[in-house]
Amino acid sequence: MTAPLVVLVGPPGSGKSTVGRDLAERLGVGFRDTDADVERSAGKPIPEIFIDEGEPHFRELEAAAVRGAARSHDGVLALGGGAVMAEATRELLRELPVVFLEVPLADAVHRVGLDAPRPLLAVNPRARWRELMEARRPLYLEVATAVVDTAGRTPGQVADAVMEALELKTPHE
């Protein structure tokens, strides 16, 4: 069985995709985002899945995408913000090198933008983001091998911190 070198978890706006691509490039491995996997398998964007089939169906697709990626991808893997809500996903992640990218609300709002097409943040995004974090933060911490604070850091600085936290080396080191 193949396993990811790094799994990134965190809320919307924490930089999972941006930092993940940077890490993958540094490490000379592939990058994979389970949200993109879900969109590919469903043949439509995530907001449309929420509208057409509802959140429970999306969560099923998400859990399947995480399961498949965790077993077949040997690079850097970024999970959707709510993937940790599923117990089976958390169980799977306990065996992997997981980094929780922690981000303050102000930074997340700036990065995500209040008009971004994120179904769970559509109404009163700041309050909803806080609610999501209250529910998810303990779960992110439960699965995390390391926690990296992204506050005031560039994606490159966050990638440096992830590398340091997991003691990863670039291919030429």
Side-chain angles (χ1 to χ4, degrees):
M1 182 171 100
T2 303
L5 194 56
V6 181
V7 179
L8 300 174
V9 299
S14 60
K16 298 178 299 286
S17 296
T18 303
V19 171
R21 284 186 195 92
D22 186 327
L23 282 169
E25 187 175 316
R26 291 175 187 212
L27 296 167
V29 297
F31 171 73
R32 188 163 171 183
D33 183 327
T34 58
D35 279 351
D37 290 352
V38 168
E39 289 184 341
R40 223 177 355 269
S41 72
K44 59 177 125 179
I46 289 171
E48 287 183 26
I49 299 168
F50 268 77
I51 292 166
D52 297 345
E53 286 92 19
E55 184 177 358
H57 179 72
F58 167 74
R59 295 296 173 202
E60 289 174 21
L61 295 175
E62 181 177 55
V66 171
R67 226 178 9 262
R71 293 182 177 139
S72 65
H73 184 67
D74 61 358
V76 177
L77 179 62
L79 303 190
V84 296
M85 300 297 285
E87 174 61 38
T89 295
R90 291 195 308 278
E91 190 66 34
L92 181 68
L93 294 176
R94 286 187 185 101
E95 307 299 317
L96 301 173
V98 178
V99 177
F100 166 29
L101 298 182
E102 192 157 31
V103 61
L105 173 62
D107 286 4
V109 166
H110 173 72
R111 293 175 189 167
V112 172
L114 296 178
D115 58 351
R118 296 181 188 261
L120 290 180
L121 299 178
V123 178
N124 194 350
R126 290 172 193 258
R128 187 68 180 125
W129 192 91
R130 277 192 200 93
E131 289 171 17
L132 290 175
M133 276 306 294
E134 283 177 24
R136 295 175 180 176
R137 188 172 193 281
L139 303 176
Y140 294 139
L141 291 171
E142 177 186 324
V143 300
T145 307
V147 178
V148 171
D149 187 354
T150 67
R153 289 178 162 170
T154 66
Q157 291 168 329
V158 174
D160 289 341
V162 170
M163 301 254 319
E164 185 178 317
L166 295 181
E167 299 179 354
L168 297 171
K169 305 282 184 218
T170 60
H172 53 273
E173 285 185 273

